[in-house]
Amino acid sequence: SEGDLRANGACSICCFMAMAICSWHLISPPSLHSRFLPLSPRTLSRPSTPAMHSPLLRRRVHSPLIHVSVAKSTSQQPTASDAPEMPSSDLHVGASSVFTGVNDSPLMFWESHQGMQSLRNESKGWLNEDDSSVENPLLLAQLRLIANMAKDRAEIHSIIAQQRDNWNKLFQSTLTMSIMTATVLSALDGQHGSFSMCIPASILDAGVAAMMCVVNRFQPSQLAEEQRCATRLCKRLVNDIEYTLDLQPDLRQDAQHYLEECKIRLEALDKEFPLPLTPGGLEKFPAQVNPPILCQAPPDANPLPEVKLSTPQNGWNDEICEDLKNVSVVLRSSDIETYKAWAQTTLGINRALAIAAPIFAASGAALNIVNAFSTSNLAVLAAVSSIMAAFAATLSHDMQIGMIFELYRDCAGYLVDIDTSIQRAMHLPIDKRENGLLFHQRVAYQLGRRTQLPMVPEGSKTGAALF
C-alpha cells in the first residue's frame, strides 16, 4: 500500500543517512566533529589518528560513493548555511572505508584502491606498507634514536668546549705572569749583577719555554672552537630530523635515503670532531687545510646531471634546477676556495708564532745562565728575549689565532656541506627528492640569500652572504 511504501522509504533514508554520518566520521578531521556533531559518542571515544586526517590522505582517497551534507534543525546547533564551506573532497567517503549497495560498482572500488596505491608511492616510503593511514613506526623509531644520540653528543661536546676554554685562559694567565716575572728579574740582574736574580730568571724562562711547547702543540683555543662547532652541528642534526618529521610525507625526501644520510652525518661528526686529545685528535698544523666533510658527495658529482622538466614535479622545475646548479658552481669556484685560503694564511701565522715564542723564552733562559757564570753583561739581552716571548705568546693565544683558523676551516666545511646537499639532491630521482620549493628556500636561508630566482644576483662573485 501507499503507507507501506512511505514507511519503507523513510526507513531507507534513515539508514542511508546513518551510514553516511558514520562513514564521514572515519575520514573527516576532529574539528568538523565538534562543529557539526558536538555530542557524538564517536567524537568522544575515538582517538584521533594524525595520518588519517592528513591532507595527503584526504586528497588521494577521492572516489565518491557517498556525499554527506549535514544540516541542523535545532536552534542550539548551527545550520548548513552557518557551517563553513568545505571542499567536496573533504566530505566524500572512499570505497576503502565503506562499500555499500548504493551507487557502487567494481570500477569505482578499483579506482579507490588505485588511489591508495598512489598514496603509498607519493609518500616516498614513509607510510606503513600494511596500513597506509599511519607512518612506518620502525622508521620513525630509528630517526628518533639518531636524534637522541645527537642530543647526547651535543651535551658532551658542549661540556668539553667549556673545559678547554678554561684551559686556554688558565694557561695564558700562567704563562704571562711567569714570563713577565722572568723579564723583571733579568732587568734587575743587568743593573745590580746579582747571582740570586739570574738563576730564578733562567728557571722561569726554561719552564715557560717547555710549557709553551705543550700549549702550542694542542692549541686550547682551537680545541674549544672545534667542540663548539661540533655542538652546533649535532644540534642542527636534531633540529633537521624534527623538522622533517613535522612535514607531510609527500614534502619529505625519500625515507631510506634520508635515514642513511642521517646515519652518515652522525658517524662523520664523530670522525671529524673527535673527543680525545691524543691519540686521534685533529692535527693542529696540517700541511693542507681540509674542511670537515659531514656527508660524501656522489661519485659522479661533477658535472651535475641535466634534467629537463616539461611540467613541475614534486616542487621542482627547470628554473630551480638551473639556479641550484649555478649556486653549486659559485660555491666551489669562489667561496670554498676563499675560506680555505684564509685558513691556510692564518695557519702559517699561527705556526710562526708557535715556533717563535718558545725559542725566545729558551734564549732568555740560556742568556741568564751564561750571564750568571761570565763577566759580560747579557742580562739585558735575556730581558729582551723574555719580552719577545711574551709578545709572541700573547699575539698567538690572546688573539686566539688557532680559533680563527678553525673558524675559517668550519666556514669552508659549512659551504661544502651545502654544495654536497645540492649534489645529492640533484642525483636523486625527482620523485625521491625533498620538495623542490622547500629545498631551494632552505639553501637560500643557509647562504643568507633571497628566496627569489635567481638566488645569487647576476655579477656576484660569491654565493654566500651570511658571513
Side-chain angles (χ1 to χ4, degrees):
S1 64
E2 183 178 354
D4 294 336
L5 291 176
R6 290 181 179 177
N8 292 335
C11 291
S12 299
I13 292 175
C14 291
C15 292
F16 176 78
M17 292 298 296
M19 186 180 302
I21 292 173
C22 292
S23 302
W24 175 56
H25 271 281
L26 294 176
I27 64 170
S28 59
S31 59
L32 292 182
H33 297 177
S34 59
R35 174 69 174 168
F36 290 101
L37 299 175
L39 300 179
S40 171
R42 182 176 294 274
T43 304
L44 299 176
S45 61
R46 180 174 180 268
S48 175
T49 305
M52 283 297 295
H53 307 306
S54 65
L56 174 66
L57 185 61
R58 295 201 305 271
R59 185 175 72 252
R60 295 301 303 172
V61 184
H62 60 273
S63 300
L65 289 185
I66 301 174
H67 182 73
V68 181
S69 178
V70 181
K72 298 301 177 183
S73 57
T74 62
S75 58
Q76 292 81 4
Q77 295 175 339
T79 63
S81 60
D82 296 331
E85 294 185 0
M86 297 290 297
S88 60
S89 59
D90 285 346
L91 298 179
H92 283 83
V93 179
S96 59
S97 300
V98 175
F99 187 71
T100 69
V102 182
N103 294 332
D104 53 7
S105 68
L107 179 60
M108 296 180 67
F109 179 79
W110 175 251
E111 289 177 352
S112 178
H113 176 73
Q114 290 293 99
M116 295 300 297
Q117 185 65 32
S118 177
L119 169 63
R120 294 190 185 96
N121 296 335
E122 191 173 336
S123 67
K124 304 177 183 179
W126 289 94
L127 298 185
N128 196 350
E129 295 181 358
D130 299 330
D131 185 4
S132 297
S133 63
V134 297
E135 296 188 14
N136 189 332
L138 180 59
L139 178 64
L140 299 183
Q142 289 177 304
L143 287 173
R144 291 195 175 100
L145 177 61
I146 294 175
N148 287 336
M149 293 300 101
K151 285 181 182 179
D152 185 62
R153 299 284 203 288
E155 185 67 21
I156 295 174
H157 286 294
S158 177
I159 294 172
I160 293 180
Q162 295 177 6
Q163 180 252 347
R164 291 178 179 176
D165 187 55
N166 290 335
W167 275 7
N168 184 46
K169 295 175 182 178
L170 293 173
F171 275 131
Q172 189 58 21
S173 298
T174 302
L175 290 174
T176 301
M177 289 188 295
S178 299
I179 198 68
M180 294 309 297
T181 302
T183 302
V184 172
L185 290 176
S186 297
L188 292 176
D189 179 50
Q191 183 177 2
H192 301 287
S194 174
F195 184 81
S196 61
M197 292 184 181
C198 63
I199 295 299
S202 62
I203 295 175
L204 282 173
D205 280 331
V208 167
M211 189 177 294
M212 281 182 177
C213 290
V214 175
V215 172
N216 292 342
R217 168 66 179 81
F218 291 105
Q219 294 289 318
S221 64
Q222 185 174 342
L223 289 173
E225 182 60 26
E226 289 173 5
Q227 301 305 312
R228 284 192 290 265
C229 182
T231 302
R232 178 183 63 82
L233 292 175
C234 288
K235 291 181 178 179
R236 193 179 77 174
L237 178 59
V238 175
N239 294 334
D240 185 68
I241 293 176
E242 294 176 351
Y243 160 77
T244 301
L245 295 181
D246 287 339
L247 293 176
Q248 295 181 15
D250 60 331
L251 298 178
R252 305 172 187 168
Q253 186 183 348
D254 178 74
Q256 293 302 320
H257 283 86
Y258 184 72
L259 178 62
E260 291 301 322
E261 182 176 337
C262 290
K263 292 179 180 178
I264 292 173
R265 286 184 178 276
L266 185 61
E267 294 173 358
L269 284 172
D270 294 337
K271 178 182 177 181
E272 296 292 340
F273 300 97
L275 294 173
L277 283 177
T278 183
L282 294 178
E283 177 62 40
K284 299 302 178 290
F285 300 99
Q288 183 179 1
V289 177
N290 295 316
I293 305 298
L294 302 182
C295 197
Q296 292 293 337
D300 53 346
N302 194 8
L304 292 175
E306 294 290 338
V307 178
K308 295 298 182 181
L309 301 176
S310 56
T311 58
Q313 301 177 25
N314 192 23
W316 292 83
N317 53 39
D318 289 338
E319 290 78 10
I320 290 179
C321 292
E322 291 300 325
D323 193 37
L324 290 174
K325 289 180 183 179
N326 179 54
V327 171
S328 178
V329 171
V330 173
L331 289 178
R332 277 181 283 177
S333 62
S334 177
D335 296 70
I336 296 174
E337 295 301 324
T338 298
Y339 280 102
K340 288 174 65 175
W342 290 353
Q344 193 71 45
T345 302
T346 307
L347 178 63
I349 296 173
N350 193 33
R351 182 186 286 111
L353 293 174
I355 295 174
I359 289 178
F360 282 127
S363 299
L367 290 172
N368 278 314
I369 292 175
V370 172
N371 184 59
F373 299 99
S374 67
T375 57
S376 58
N377 192 357
L378 302 176
V380 176
L381 293 178
V384 172
S385 297
S386 299
I387 291 175
M388 294 300 295
F391 176 77
T394 300
L395 189 63
S396 175
H397 297 287
D398 285 358
M399 291 188 64
Q400 299 189 6
I401 304 297
M403 184 274 293
I404 296 175
F405 160 74
E406 184 63 25
L407 186 63
Y408 285 147
R409 192 180 79 95
D410 293 336
C411 287
Y414 178 84
L415 299 176
V416 168
D417 190 52
I418 295 176
D419 178 49
T420 303
S421 66
I422 294 175
Q423 295 173 12
R424 290 177 67 89
M426 297 296 290
H427 280 79
L428 284 176
I430 294 178
D431 59 338
K432 294 183 180 295
R433 301 178 188 176
E434 181 184 357
N435 181 269
L437 181 60
L438 289 179
F439 183 81
H440 183 270
Q441 290 182 354
R442 180 168 60 176
V443 172
Y445 293 141
Q446 288 176 334
L447 295 176
R449 290 291 187 179
R450 59 183 185 179
T451 57
Q452 291 82 8
L453 295 173
M455 186 188 307
V456 179
E458 295 182 5
S460 177
K461 296 182 179 179
T462 59
L466 184 60
F467 41 77

